[in-house]
Amino acid sequence: MTIVSQQSDPDSLEHVAGKVEDLHDRFKDSKQKMIGVAGPNPFGDIRHPDHVPGEHPSEHAVSALQSYRDRMHGQFDAAAELMKSTGGALRDAARALRGTDDAARDSVTVKDGSLDQ
């Protein structure tokens, strides 16, 4: 039977925190690329099939795409903030581990006399 010892390495935690925080930047970049409809209506000037005056189905399509874009921007923002806070939590955990290691190092007592020379 093999027993595996799991250790938390502060340097590894900080490395992972950096990777997670990089995801924050990627979400922000992706959000900027999702612009919706810009410029002339890509659907052209489509009239209602029953010739209803003032009714432009293409305007409804643009409106729907803008609503979709706005909701997706909200999702990108939420994901980016989640990555930012996760990175911060990982960095806090690394600091806590370092603090615990430092405190343990300062309070170690050797009772077997192996350090006596």
Side-chain angles (χ1 to χ4, degrees):
M1 174 191 256
T2 304
I3 297 175
V4 177
S5 172
Q6 184 177 5
Q7 296 181 4
S8 296
D9 174 18
D11 293 333
S12 295
L13 284 174
E14 287 187 345
H15 175 75
V16 171
K19 296 291 187 182
V20 167
E21 290 163 349
D22 182 50
L23 290 174
H24 167 271
D25 297 337
R26 289 183 187 199
F27 278 118
K28 289 294 187 181
D29 291 342
S30 295
K31 175 188 170 185
Q32 296 306 315
K33 292 176 184 174
M34 182 175 243
I35 58 171
V37 177
N41 184 346
F43 302 104
D45 191 23
I46 303 170
R47 302 272 184 216
H48 193 281
D50 296 331
H51 303 291
V52 176
E55 185 75 24
H56 295 278
S58 60
E59 291 173 5
H60 296 292
V62 170
S63 177
L65 286 172
Q66 292 298 100
S67 294
Y68 175 77
R69 185 211 61 177
D70 293 345
R71 287 191 307 275
M72 288 305 299
H73 276 196
Q75 294 298 317
F76 280 118
D77 286 340
E81 287 306 308
L82 180 61
M83 294 301 105
K84 186 177 177 181
S85 63
T86 300
L90 288 167
R91 290 187 189 284
D92 289 345
R95 276 192 294 280
L97 283 173
R98 283 195 178 91
T100 302
D101 289 346
D102 292 344
R105 210 176 355 267
D106 290 343
S107 64
V108 170
T109 303
V110 178
K111 296 183 179 183
D112 68 356
S114 63
L115 296 178
D116 295 336
Q117 304 232 8

